[in-house]
Amino acid sequence: MKSLFIFVLTIVSLPCYAQWRYGGITLNQVLGYGVHDTNFFISIDQATFGMPTRPQTSPAHVYRIDARGLTATYPSWLAADTGLDLAQGLPTKFTSVDDYIFESHGSGQLMKSSDEGSRWSSVNAHGPLALANYYLLGGLGTSIARSADTGKTWIRTNTTMVALNFATNGICVFASASSGVWRSLDTGATWDSTNTPFGNSNLVMIGSVVFSSNGAIVKSTDSGTSWTNVPVPHLVHAIISSGTYLFIGTDSGVYFSIDSGGTWKSAGYFTDVNGYPAPHVTSLGVFDTLLFADAISSYQYSTFQPTWYLAMRSIPEMV
């Protein structure tokens, strides 16, 4: 009688980072991301590289790209900073309102462009920015202000704090400040403080759930009345949402959650052009179905001369 041998093939899941693709930006750190119509905007800091005794520099810029530019082997970015005085600070926040893309930079000045960044003009307010229904939210002095005419005129609200970040689902708005997180339940007209455990945080919303991140993450499901800790696999440097998905950037790459932070899965990280892993993610951006992650190479990180690499990956593929 012949013996029947059954071979069982065991497939071991190993980290695979080939899904990450080079995003076309090397050396410079990405400070801000924005979307307007079919264009994706980024701002990059000036980079210094080379030998310490013979440093070379790569200039700061604001760039944009459209869907066609992302189909090439190496994404093709176009300069989009005519009229911006980058010496006064680099854009860190972008917001799209009607025909305009707005940006706020280091000094707090707001600028806007109606021609995809070919020319920028100043706005009489300061950043950051958010859109709550049809109101544009910004700042005047130490108050949050609203504009109903794309930044031409502004009305102060009842706040006495300078917002650092906004998150909104259209009606409910949250603002992060050094004093903590504030909320508005009427599109930014009136504000009150919440009891969030920390300020100076990044904010994102998924539906009615708001997340506040400052290394750790807390979330609120009752409009900021109470907050609960969200367990995270590593220290969080960046957080962003896309639809019902939540993404974080850590020292060990990108992680994502499909259940509002209840569980996390690794999305891996990018390997730089020299073959070194780049797991130290410092910022995240979303454009359509793509997630962008800016990260520092492990080699450069260990030599204290950080070199950033921008990578991108399909969100449907990831989740």
Coordinates of all heavy atoms in Angstrom, one line a residue, residues 174-183 192-203 210-214 216-220 223-229:
F174 N -12.9 71.6 16.5 CA -12.0 71.6 17.6 C -10.8 72.4 17.2 O -10.3 72.4 16.1 CB -11.6 70.1 17.9 CG -12.7 69.3 18.5 CD1 -13.6 68.7 17.7 CD2 -12.9 69.3 19.9 CE1 -14.7 68.0 18.2 CE2 -14.0 68.6 20.4 CZ -14.9 67.9 19.6
A175 N -10.2 73.1 18.2 CA -9.0 73.9 18.0 C -8.0 73.5 19.1 O -8.4 73.5 20.3 CB -9.3 75.4 18.0
S176 N -6.8 73.3 18.7 CA -5.7 73.0 19.7 C -4.9 74.3 20.0 O -4.6 75.0 19.1 CB -4.8 71.9 19.2 OG -3.6 71.8 20.0
A177 N -4.6 74.5 21.3 CA -3.8 75.6 21.7 C -2.9 75.1 22.8 O -2.9 74.0 23.2 CB -4.7 76.7 22.2
S178 N -2.0 76.0 23.3 CA -1.1 75.7 24.3 C -1.8 75.4 25.6 O -1.4 74.6 26.5 CB -0.1 76.8 24.6 OG -0.7 78.0 24.9
S179 N -3.1 75.9 25.8 CA -3.8 75.7 27.0 C -4.7 74.5 26.9 O -5.4 74.2 27.9 CB -4.7 77.0 27.2 OG -5.6 77.2 26.1
G180 N -4.7 73.8 25.8 CA -5.5 72.6 25.7 C -6.4 72.6 24.4 O -6.0 73.4 23.5
V181 N -7.4 71.8 24.4 CA -8.3 71.8 23.2 C -9.6 72.5 23.5 O -10.2 72.2 24.5 CB -8.6 70.3 22.8 CG1 -9.6 70.2 21.6 CG2 -7.2 69.6 22.4
W182 N -10.0 73.3 22.5 CA -11.3 74.0 22.6 C -12.2 73.5 21.6 O -11.8 72.8 20.6 CB -11.1 75.5 22.4 CG -10.2 76.2 23.4 CD1 -9.0 75.9 23.8 CD2 -10.7 77.3 24.2 NE1 -8.5 76.8 24.8 CE2 -9.6 77.6 25.1 CE3 -11.8 78.0 24.3 CZ2 -9.6 78.7 26.0 CZ3 -11.9 79.1 25.3 CH2 -10.8 79.4 26.1
R183 N -13.5 73.7 21.8 CA -14.5 73.2 20.9 C -15.6 74.2 20.6 O -15.9 75.1 21.4 CB -15.2 71.9 21.4 CG -16.1 72.2 22.5 CD -16.9 71.0 23.0 NE -17.7 71.3 24.2 CZ -18.3 70.4 24.9 NH1 -18.2 69.1 24.7 NH2 -19.0 70.8 26.0
D192 N -15.8 76.9 23.8 CA -15.6 76.6 25.2 C -14.4 75.6 25.3 O -14.2 74.8 24.4 CB -16.8 76.1 25.9 CG -17.4 74.8 25.3 OD1 -18.1 74.9 24.3 OD2 -17.0 73.8 25.8
S193 N -13.8 75.6 26.5 CA -12.7 74.7 26.7 C -13.1 73.3 27.0 O -14.2 73.1 27.6 CB -11.8 75.2 27.8 OG -10.7 74.4 28.0
T194 N -12.3 72.3 26.6 CA -12.5 70.9 27.0 C -11.5 70.5 28.0 O -10.5 71.2 28.3 CB -12.5 70.0 25.8 OG1 -11.1 69.8 25.4 CG2 -13.3 70.5 24.6
N195 N -11.6 69.3 28.6 CA -10.7 68.9 29.6 C -9.7 67.9 29.1 O -9.3 66.9 29.7 CB -11.4 68.3 30.8 CG -12.2 67.0 30.4 OD1 -12.5 66.8 29.2 ND2 -12.6 66.2 31.4
T196 N -9.3 68.1 27.8 CA -8.3 67.2 27.2 C -7.0 67.2 28.1 O -6.6 68.3 28.6 CB -8.0 67.6 25.8 OG1 -7.0 66.7 25.2 CG2 -7.4 69.0 25.7
P197 N -6.3 66.1 28.2 CA -5.1 66.0 29.1 C -3.9 66.8 28.6 O -2.9 67.0 29.3 CB -4.8 64.5 29.1 CG -5.4 64.0 27.9 CD -6.6 64.8 27.6
F198 N -3.8 67.2 27.3 CA -2.7 68.0 26.9 C -3.1 68.9 25.7 O -4.1 68.8 25.0 CB -1.5 67.1 26.4 CG -1.9 65.9 25.5 CD1 -2.4 66.1 24.2 CD2 -1.9 64.6 26.0 CE1 -2.7 65.1 23.4 CE2 -2.3 63.6 25.2 CZ -2.7 63.8 23.9
G199 N -2.2 70.0 25.6 CA -2.4 70.9 24.5 C -1.3 70.8 23.4 O -0.6 69.8 23.4
N200 N -1.2 71.8 22.6 CA -0.1 71.7 21.5 C -0.2 70.4 20.7 O 0.8 69.8 20.4 CB 1.3 71.9 22.1 CG 1.5 73.2 22.7 OD1 1.0 74.2 22.2 ND2 2.3 73.3 23.8
S201 N -1.4 70.0 20.4 CA -1.6 68.7 19.8 C -2.1 68.8 18.4 O -2.6 69.8 17.9 CB -2.7 67.9 20.6 OG -3.9 68.6 20.7
N202 N -1.9 67.7 17.7 CA -2.5 67.6 16.4 C -3.9 67.0 16.5 O -4.1 66.1 17.3 CB -1.6 66.7 15.5 CG -0.3 67.3 15.2 OD1 -0.2 68.4 14.8 ND2 0.8 66.5 15.4
L203 N -4.8 67.4 15.7 CA -6.2 67.0 15.8 C -6.7 66.4 14.4 O -6.4 67.0 13.4 CB -7.1 68.2 16.1 CG -6.8 68.9 17.4 CD1 -7.7 70.2 17.5 CD2 -7.1 68.0 18.6
V210 N -13.2 62.7 17.7 CA -12.1 63.5 17.5 C -10.9 62.9 18.2 O -11.0 62.3 19.3 CB -12.3 64.9 18.1 CG1 -12.7 64.9 19.6 CG2 -11.1 65.9 17.8
F211 N -9.7 63.0 17.6 CA -8.5 62.4 18.1 C -7.5 63.6 18.4 O -7.3 64.5 17.5 CB -7.8 61.4 17.2 CG -8.7 60.2 16.9 CD1 -9.7 60.3 15.9 CD2 -8.5 59.1 17.6 CE1 -10.5 59.2 15.6 CE2 -9.3 58.0 17.3 CZ -10.3 58.0 16.3
S212 N -6.9 63.6 19.5 CA -5.9 64.6 19.9 C -4.5 63.8 20.1 O -4.5 62.9 21.0 CB -6.3 65.3 21.1 OG -5.3 66.3 21.5
S213 N -3.5 64.2 19.4 CA -2.2 63.5 19.5 C -1.1 64.4 19.8 O -0.9 65.5 19.2 CB -1.9 62.9 18.1 OG -0.6 62.3 18.1
N214 N -0.3 64.0 20.8 CA 0.9 64.7 21.2 C 1.9 63.7 21.8 O 2.1 63.6 22.9 CB 0.6 65.8 22.3 CG 1.8 66.6 22.6 OD1 2.9 66.3 22.2 ND2 1.6 67.7 23.3
A216 N 1.3 60.7 22.5 CA 0.3 59.8 22.8 C -1.0 60.2 22.1 O -1.0 61.3 21.4 CB 0.0 59.7 24.3
I217 N -2.1 59.4 22.2 CA -3.3 59.8 21.5 C -4.5 59.6 22.5 O -4.5 58.6 23.2 CB -3.6 58.9 20.3 CG1 -2.6 59.1 19.2 CG2 -5.0 59.3 19.7 CD1 -2.8 58.2 18.0
V218 N -5.4 60.6 22.6 CA -6.6 60.5 23.3 C -7.7 60.7 22.3 O -7.5 61.4 21.3 CB -6.7 61.4 24.5 CG1 -5.7 61.0 25.6 CG2 -6.6 62.9 24.1
K219 N -8.9 60.2 22.6 CA -10.1 60.4 21.7 C -11.3 60.7 22.5 O -11.4 60.4 23.6 CB -10.3 59.3 20.7 CG -10.9 58.0 21.4 CD -11.2 56.9 20.4 CE -11.8 55.7 21.0 NZ -12.1 54.6 20.0
S220 N -12.3 61.4 21.8 CA -13.5 61.7 22.4 C -14.7 61.4 21.5 O -14.6 61.7 20.3 CB -13.6 63.2 22.8 OG -14.9 63.6 23.3
S223 N -18.1 64.8 21.8 CA -17.8 66.2 21.4 C -16.9 66.9 22.4 O -17.0 68.1 22.7 CB -19.1 67.1 21.3 OG -19.9 66.5 20.3
G224 N -15.9 66.1 23.0 CA -14.9 66.7 23.8 C -15.3 66.8 25.3 O -14.5 67.3 26.1
T225 N -16.4 66.2 25.7 CA -16.8 66.3 27.1 C -15.9 65.4 27.9 O -15.5 65.7 29.0 CB -18.3 65.8 27.3 OG1 -19.1 66.8 26.5 CG2 -18.7 65.9 28.7
S226 N -15.6 64.2 27.4 CA -14.7 63.3 28.1 C -13.7 62.7 27.0 O -14.0 62.6 25.8 CB -15.4 62.1 28.7 OG -16.2 61.4 27.8
W227 N -12.5 62.2 27.5 CA -11.5 61.7 26.7 C -11.0 60.4 27.2 O -10.9 60.2 28.4 CB -10.3 62.7 26.6 CG -10.7 64.0 26.0 CD1 -11.2 65.1 26.7 CD2 -10.5 64.5 24.7 NE1 -11.5 66.1 25.8 CE2 -11.0 65.8 24.6 CE3 -10.0 63.9 23.5 CZ2 -11.0 66.5 23.4 CZ3 -10.0 64.6 22.3 CH2 -10.5 65.9 22.3
T228 N -10.6 59.5 26.3 CA -10.1 58.2 26.7 C -8.7 58.0 26.0 O -8.6 58.5 24.9 CB -11.0 57.0 26.4 OG1 -11.3 57.0 25.0 CG2 -12.3 57.2 27.2
N229 N -7.8 57.3 26.6 CA -6.5 57.0 26.0 C -6.7 56.0 24.8 O -7.5 55.0 24.9 CB -5.6 56.4 27.0 CG -5.1 57.4 28.0 OD1 -4.9 58.6 27.7 ND2 -5.0 57.0 29.3

